[in-house]
């Protein structure tokens, strides 16, 4: 994806009600930039930037970066006011479809019954893109339970809804594939530059997800026969990175606000 910088500012009451939202995306794109949360005072802008390099599209386009910034920031607000991240989101959501996937993911994952242990953390995130709605929970282990520790994703539960389901097996494959691909962008994948050259131009040096990186994945499909079918190739990837970032914070106390979170080539 195109490189980008995203700046977010917000305001909320102690009871969890969002009051203000300001969101600026520089260069990485406007897809998925609008917030689904209810906030009256908002300013959301995409700022194009001239790049010396060719830039192209990637699965979910800029929606992945915008969801990472937005959902990570939502978690930070919830932490500041001492509110459960799921409860905070639900308080500020009126979209019934997005609320439904959050609820389904949390129920299947056992969000309300989760028990924090040293070095283990839990995160939740979600969003919508191209007619699909995703809610995703992640359990993460951070080596040593300290900032900078190596990250292992242990368990992921995703609930997805994109209208009427035509092919359940195909849809499940799309969601699982998006989650696995999302692991790469969240933890490892990036281009390295030095002295005006690309340092990892081949897949031998470009870190992709491996079988050993793949956690247990549970997928819940919500079939809305009353709604037209939408595509499932874009949306499922957007929840993984912010959910993992939130889980890393719970496990280690460290906020990782840049992708990839584990480090290039780890």
């Amino acid at each position: 994806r195109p490189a980008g910088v995203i700046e977010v500012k917000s305001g909320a009451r102690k009871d969890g009600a969002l009051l203000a939202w300001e969101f600026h995306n520089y260069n990485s794109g406007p897809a998925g930039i609008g917030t689904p949360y209810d906030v009256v005072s908002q300013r959301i802008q995409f700022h194009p930037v001239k790049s010396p390099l060719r830039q192209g599209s990637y699965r979910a386009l800029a929606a992945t970066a915008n969801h990472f910034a937005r959902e990570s920031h939502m978690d930070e607000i919830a932490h500041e006011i001492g509110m459960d991240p799921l409860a905070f989101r639900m308080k500020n959501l009126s979209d019934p479809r997005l609320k439904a996937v959050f609820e389904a993911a949390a129920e299947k994952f056992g969000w309300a019954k989760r028990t924090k242990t040293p070095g283990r953390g839990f995160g939740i995130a979600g969003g919508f893109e191209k007619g699909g709605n995703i809610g995703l929970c992640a359990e993460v282990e951070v080596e040593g339970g300290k900032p900078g520790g190596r990250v292992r994703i242990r368990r992921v539960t995703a609930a997805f809804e994109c209208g009427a389901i035509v092919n359940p097996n195909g849809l499940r494959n799309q969601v699982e594939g998006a989650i696995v691909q999302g692991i790469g962008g969240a933890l490892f994948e990036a281009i390295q530059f030095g002295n005006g050259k690309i340092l990892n131009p081949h897949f031998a040096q470009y870190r992709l997800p491996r079988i050993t990186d793949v956690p247990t994945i549970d997928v819940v499909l919500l079939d809305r026969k009353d709604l037209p079918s939408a595509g499932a190739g874009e949306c499922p990837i957007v929840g993984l990175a912010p959910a993992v970032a939130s889980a890393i914070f719970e496990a280690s106390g460290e906020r990782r606000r840049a992708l990839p979170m584990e480090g290039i080539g780890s």
Side-chain angles (χ1 to χ4, degrees), residues 84-126:
D84 177 85
L86 175 60
F88 175 59
R89 286 170 170 81
M90 299 300 281
K91 181 177 180 65
N92 292 286
L93 263 181
S94 57
D95 184 336
R97 296 175 68 183
L98 192 51
K99 292 180 74 171
V101 291
F102 268 121
E103 290 170 343
E107 181 179 358
K108 179 69 174 178
F109 184 79
W111 180 262
K113 300 177 181 178
R114 70 196 188 282
T115 302
K116 183 183 175 182
T117 57
R120 293 249 176 170
F122 305 89
I124 190 167

Side-chain angles (χ1 to χ4, degrees), residues 1-6 23-34 44-48 55-71 128-130 233-235 237-239 241-242 259:
R1 298 184 186 90
V5 173
I6 299 173
F23 192 101
H24 296 273
N25 177 311
Y26 297 88
N27 190 66
S28 63
I33 197 170
I44 300 172
Q45 291 182 317
F46 165 59
H47 305 274
Q55 301 184 110
S57 300
Y58 185 79
R59 195 176 197 181
L61 308 175
T64 307
N66 285 320
H67 276 78
F68 174 69
R70 180 173 61 248
E71 289 294 289
F128 65 96
E129 179 66 8
K130 299 291 190 293
E234 305 282 357
C235 181
I237 199 172
V238 303
L259 299 176

